[in-house]
């Protein structure tokens, strides 16, 4: 069936359908692109894993690699390295054979579709113009006919009246003739325009539109066929590496079968055998002939031997008050604010953790204050966007919160300095004893003091690499809310802080929510996002993490 004959009156529906077809193809391109990224990351992780467990040269592991089990493990690592290479091949072929080619094909489809619908709209405008000319000619002919009829009736009335002069009758007759002539001219013009419109209409619905719709049908069928070929290519890319992956797995199986338990056991004998004979029996030596014991000595010996088992009980009794205190505090559920119920090292870690949490809260409040400050400046310059006074009240509230948090930080830092001073003043013996408490908490604490290093007394070294860093991407700001068409999506974002969005033009978000970015920040701290077609607005850029699509139109290249 042909679109030109069957769908001659479905111009708008064909426009929507062809646009949907291109979007389906773009969705498939995005899927292949993400699959290629997954394969690339997987290959990279496999290579790093294989490299991590490779035998290091000039080490004890190199000596142990002579065993058949170790050799098999090394062979497995090498095979996994080759295995990772095949996933890199999948990633590269998917990108070059599918993503790049289909992206170019989609651009050509969009250009071709745009041209066809431009021709269709031009043809529609032409037929509409002809229709308007026909309507105007028809109305003019109708008006002239009515005027001619009225002029004829006026002439007949004047001619029948005996009181009217001959000159007036002649004038009425001439006026009637003029109106009749105008009516005849309008009739001829109307007939000519009608014939022209019928020809244009016939060419429009039987020549122009069928031709354009046939081109659109060919374009759509070409898109569908190209997608089918791409799906076959997608399967072939994986199928091509299957034999090589099978060889890698066969290599691992072969290395596993080469392991010999007896051979490894013999190698242990060869490595550690000393060659000496086992020692013989030891002769008995009798020392009782020259010994003279007394009752007191015997009693003393027995008394000493009885007192020995009490030594460990002393150590247990020494620890008992601390254990009992901890159990009591846990049972009551009342932990002191300064953690004084904990051992010194655990108390120091808890205080440091509390200081870090308060500092993060302060930074969060500062970021919120900066964002609201930019919002107030925008409202001051553009009063129609919102009330700057309402933002000022929030700034005062945030300032008070920051001051309260700083007072808390000073209080906990004072306790922390006191504990650290005591720890530094302890002697070597107390440092060795603190290892008991160090084993109770092995979790690494981030953002600790920079000059604190790991030591036998249970302290630790700061590891800044574990601290997450939030990178906020500057984007563009546009205060035009009345776009005729919805803006395209140029990326996504994740809310790292909640935002109320009470003012006009803003949108409320919750922490952790994923939304679409449709407009970048232009430097004044605002990013335009969308939740749905009717729900979009601006949020402070410092409240979100932005992930722009590099291929999206308008995305900045440094993102």
């Amino acid at each position: 069936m042909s679109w030109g004959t069957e769908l001659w009156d479905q111009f708008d529906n064909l426009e929507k359908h062809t646009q949907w077809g291109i979007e389906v193809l773009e969705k498939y391109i995005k899927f292949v692109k993400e699959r290629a990224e997954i394969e690339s990351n997987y290959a990279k992780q496999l290579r790093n894993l294989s490299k991590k467990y490779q035998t290091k040269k000039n080490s004890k592991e190199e000596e142990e690699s002579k065993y058949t089990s170790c050799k098999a493990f090394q062979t497995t690592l090498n095979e996994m390295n080759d295995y990772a290479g095949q996933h890199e091949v999948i990633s590269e072929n998917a990108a070059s054979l599918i993503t790049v080619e289909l992206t170019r094909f989609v651009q050509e489809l969009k250009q071709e579709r745009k041209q066809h619908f431009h021709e269709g709209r031009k043809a529609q405008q032409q037929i509409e113009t002809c229709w308007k000319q026909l309507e105007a000619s028809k109305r003019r002919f109708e008006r002239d006919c009515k005027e001619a009829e009225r002029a004829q009736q006026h002439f007949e009335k004047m001619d029948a009246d005996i009181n009217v002069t001959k000159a007036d009758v002649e004038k009425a007759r001439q006026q009637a003739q003029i109106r009749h002539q105008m009516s005849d001219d309008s009739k001829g013009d109307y007939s000519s325009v009608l014939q022209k419109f019928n020809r244009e209409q016939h060419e429009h619905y039987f020549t122009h539109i069928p031709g354009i719709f046939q081109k659109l049908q060919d374009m759509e069928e070409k898109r569908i066929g190209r997608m089918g070929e791409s799906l076959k290519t997608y399967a072939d890319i994986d199928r091509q590496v299957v034999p090589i992956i099978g060889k890698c797995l066969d290599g691992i199986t072969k290395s596993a079968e080469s392991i010999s338990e007896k051979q490894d056991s013999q190698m242990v004998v060869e490595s550690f055998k000393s060659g000496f004979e086992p020692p013989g029996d030891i002769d008995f030596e009798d020392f009782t002939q020259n010994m003279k014991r007394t009752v007191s000595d015997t009693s003393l010996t027995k008394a000493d031997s009885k007192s020995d088992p009490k030594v460990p009980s002393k150590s247990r009794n020494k620890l008992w008050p601390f254990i009992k205190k901890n159990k009591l505090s846990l049972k009551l559920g009342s932990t002191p604010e300064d953690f004084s119920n904990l051992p010194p090292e655990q108390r120091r870690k808890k205080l440091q953790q509390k200081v870090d949490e308060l500092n993060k809260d302060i930074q969060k409040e500062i970021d919120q204050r900066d964002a609201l400050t930019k919002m107030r400046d925008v409202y001051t310059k553009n009063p129609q966007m919102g009330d700057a006074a309402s933002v000022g009240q929030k700034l005062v509230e945030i300032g008070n919160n920051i001051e309260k948090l700083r007072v808390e930080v000073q209080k906990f830092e004072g306790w922390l300095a006191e504990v650290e001073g005591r720890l530094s003043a302890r002697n070597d013996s107390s440092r060795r004893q603190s290892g008991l408490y160090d084993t109770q908490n092995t979790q690494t604490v981030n953002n600790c003091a920079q000059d604190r290093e790991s030591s036998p007394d249970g302290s630790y070294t700061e590891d800044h690499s574990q601290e997450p860093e939030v990178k906020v991407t500057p984007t563009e700001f546009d205060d035009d809310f009345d776009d005729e068409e919805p803006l395209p999506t140029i990326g996504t974002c994740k809310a790292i802080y909640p935002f109320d969005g009470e003012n006009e033009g803003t949108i409320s978000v919750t922490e952790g929510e994923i939304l679409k970015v449709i407009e970048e920040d232009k430097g004044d701290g605002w990013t335009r996002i969308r939740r749905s077609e009717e729900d979009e607005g601006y949020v402070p850029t410092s409240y979100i993490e932005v992930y722009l699509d590099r291929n999206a139109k308008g995305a900045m290249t440094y993102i």
Side-chain angles (χ1 to χ4, degrees):
M1 291 186 178
S2 174
W3 287 7
T5 57
E6 302 293 336
L7 304 176
W8 61 272
D9 58 343
Q10 299 298 320
F11 186 89
D12 294 337
N13 286 332
L14 287 180
E15 186 176 14
K16 294 178 182 178
H17 177 76
T18 52
Q19 177 62 30
W20 169 83
I22 292 177
E23 290 175 355
V24 169
L25 195 56
E26 288 178 335
K27 184 187 297 184
Y28 172 67
I29 294 173
K30 187 177 181 181
F31 160 74
V32 176
K33 182 180 179 181
E34 293 182 1
R35 162 75 192 282
E37 292 177 355
I38 291 174
E39 293 291 343
S40 178
N41 293 334
Y42 179 55
K44 183 178 179 181
Q45 292 176 359
L46 277 181
R47 288 190 183 277
N48 291 338
L49 182 65
S50 177
K51 182 179 179 181
K52 177 181 178 181
Y53 288 97
Q54 287 286 349
T55 301
K56 299 177 178 60
K57 295 183 178 180
N58 301 323
S59 64
K60 184 179 180 181
E61 293 181 0
E62 189 175 12
E63 298 178 0
E64 297 173 349
S65 61
K66 60 186 178 181
Y67 297 103
T68 58
S69 57
C70 294
K71 289 180 179 180
F73 179 55
Q74 292 302 316
T75 303
T76 300
L77 295 177
N78 295 332
E79 294 293 347
M80 291 306 298
N81 194 54
D82 296 339
Y83 184 91
Q86 299 310 307
H87 286 277
E88 290 178 345
V89 171
I90 293 176
S91 176
E92 294 171 358
N93 290 340
S96 61
L97 299 180
I98 298 180
T99 304
V100 175
E101 294 295 330
L102 284 186
T103 302
R104 187 184 303 111
F105 178 68
V106 166
Q107 296 300 325
E108 295 174 356
L109 279 183
K110 289 181 178 180
Q111 189 65 27
E112 183 180 355
R113 175 181 176 276
K114 181 179 179 181
Q115 181 180 355
H116 292 332
F117 280 104
H118 177 72
E119 294 176 358
R121 291 189 182 92
K122 187 176 180 181
Q124 284 185 335
Q125 291 175 358
Q126 179 66 24
I127 196 67
E128 289 175 0
T129 302
C130 293
W131 171 256
K132 291 179 181 178
Q133 292 176 355
L134 176 63
E135 286 293 317
S137 177
K138 180 181 178 181
R139 288 194 298 269
R140 185 167 56 253
F141 173 54
E142 183 180 5
R143 184 182 66 246
D144 291 344
C145 287
K146 291 180 180 179
E147 291 292 334
E149 184 179 358
R150 283 196 297 267
Q152 181 65 29
Q153 291 176 356
H154 179 67
F155 167 69
E156 292 175 353
K157 182 179 180 181
M158 295 287 287
D159 189 35
D161 192 353
I162 60 175
N163 296 324
V164 178
T165 62
K166 186 176 181 180
D168 290 339
V169 173
E170 183 63 21
K171 183 178 180 180
R173 185 183 64 79
Q174 292 178 357
Q175 186 67 27
Q177 290 178 352
I178 292 173
R179 291 296 180 182
H180 279 292
Q181 183 62 38
M182 292 176 62
S183 175
D184 293 339
D185 293 341
S186 297
K187 180 179 180 181
D189 182 63
Y190 172 61
S191 177
S192 175
V193 173
L194 179 60
Q195 292 176 4
K196 179 182 177 182
F197 174 77
N198 289 333
R199 288 195 304 268
E200 291 289 340
Q201 182 176 248
H202 187 273
E203 291 181 358
H204 177 78
Y205 288 111
F206 292 93
T207 303
H208 297 312
I209 290 298
I212 294 172
F213 283 5
Q214 184 61 44
K215 293 178 182 178
L216 289 173
Q217 183 178 357
D218 295 339
M219 182 194 74
E220 181 67 8
E221 291 175 355
K222 180 171 63 174
R223 178 195 67 82
I224 296 172
R226 187 64 177 271
M227 187 168 182
E229 294 175 359
S230 178
L231 289 172
K232 292 180 180 179
T233 304
Y234 179 84
D236 292 338
I237 289 174
D238 280 73
R239 188 177 290 110
Q240 290 172 359
V241 301
V242 168
I244 303 177
I245 291 178
K247 291 182 179 179
C248 295
L249 299 178
D250 291 341
I252 295 175
T253 302
K254 185 177 180 181
S255 64
E257 294 173 351
S258 66
I259 296 177
S260 174
E261 301 86 344
K262 298 297 183 180
Q263 183 178 348
D264 284 0
S265 299
Q266 183 62 30
M267 292 180 67
V268 172
V269 173
E270 295 175 356
S271 298
F272 301 106
K273 183 179 179 180
S274 64
F276 295 112
E277 294 293 334
D281 297 336
I282 298 176
D283 296 334
F284 176 78
E285 297 183 19
D286 189 4
F287 298 99
T288 59
Q289 295 179 357
N290 298 325
M291 291 182 61
K292 295 181 179 179
R293 301 185 204 177
T294 62
V295 176
S296 60
D297 291 339
T298 304
S299 301
L300 180 60
T301 303
K302 291 181 179 180
D304 290 341
S305 62
K306 291 180 180 179
S307 63
D308 287 341
K310 294 182 181 180
V311 175
S313 64
K314 289 181 181 180
S315 61
R316 287 195 296 269
N317 291 335
K318 186 177 182 181
L319 292 176
W320 168 248
F322 170 69
I323 298 174
K324 185 175 182 181
K325 181 181 179 181
N326 276 345
K327 290 183 178 180
L328 182 60
S329 63
L330 290 174
K331 186 178 296 185
L332 295 177
S334 57
T335 302
E337 186 180 10
D338 59 352
F339 304 107
S340 58
N341 62 316
L342 299 177
E345 182 58 29
Q346 291 189 23
R347 183 188 180 194
R348 179 184 64 79
K349 292 181 180 180
K350 286 289 185 180
L351 290 173
Q352 183 63 56
Q353 184 179 0
K354 186 67 176 181
V355 170
D356 294 340
E357 292 175 356
L358 291 173
N359 286 329
K360 288 181 180 180
D361 292 339
I362 291 175
Q363 186 60 42
K364 184 177 179 180
E365 295 289 336
I366 292 175
D367 293 341
Q368 188 175 3
R369 182 186 63 186
D370 294 343
L372 290 176
T373 302
K374 293 181 180 180
M375 182 188 295
R376 183 183 60 185
D377 296 340
V378 173
Y379 289 168
T380 303
K381 297 178 182 178
N382 303 285
Q384 70 276 8
M385 294 184 63
D387 184 13
S390 62
V391 180
Q393 296 176 358
K394 293 182 180 180
L395 285 174
V396 173
E397 182 180 351
I398 291 176
N400 295 333
N401 293 337
I402 292 176
E403 290 300 325
K404 292 179 181 179
L405 290 172
R406 285 175 176 169
V407 172
E408 289 291 316
V409 169
Q410 292 178 359
K411 179 173 63 175
F412 280 93
E413 284 180 345
W415 288 333
L416 180 61
E418 178 184 355
V419 174
E420 289 179 341
R422 293 178 180 177
L423 288 175
S424 62
R426 291 187 301 176
N427 55 25
D428 294 340
S429 176
S430 63
R431 291 181 181 177
R432 288 192 296 270
Q433 293 175 358
S434 67
L436 173 63
Y437 307 123
D438 183 66
T439 57
Q440 299 177 4
N441 187 4
T442 58
Q443 182 179 4
T444 304
V445 180
N446 295 331
N447 300 324
C448 62
Q450 186 173 3
D451 58 346
R452 195 176 303 126
E453 299 178 352
S454 61
S455 62
D457 62 350
S459 58
Y460 56 95
T461 304
E462 179 185 8
D463 186 5
H464 291 283
S465 63
Q466 300 297 327
E467 181 179 356
E469 181 180 359
V470 178
K471 295 184 178 179
V472 181
T473 305
T475 54
E476 296 180 355
F477 179 83
D478 187 359
D479 58 353
D480 184 9
F481 291 93
D482 299 324
D483 296 333
E484 295 181 358
E485 297 180 358
L487 295 175
T489 300
I490 61 175
T492 58
C493 67
K494 179 181 180 181
I496 56 178
Y497 305 119
F499 179 66
D500 295 334
E502 299 174 350
N503 298 297
E504 183 180 0
T506 61
I507 182 174
S508 62
V509 297
T510 58
E511 184 175 353
E513 186 177 6
I514 305 297
L515 304 106
K516 299 177 181 178
V517 178
I518 59 175
E519 215 170 69
E520 302 176 67
D521 184 359
K522 289 185 177 180
D524 52 358
W526 291 88
T527 300
R528 192 172 181 181
I529 63 175
R530 175 185 297 151
R531 180 180 290 108
S532 63
E533 292 299 332
E534 294 84 19
D535 193 7
E536 63 181 46
Y538 291 92
V539 296
T541 305
S542 59
Y543 278 43
I544 58 176
E545 285 183 349
V546 181
Y547 310 97
L548 293 185
D549 185 0
R550 297 184 179 179
N551 295 328
K553 183 178 180 181
M556 302 180 71
T557 56
Y558 64 84
I559 298 301

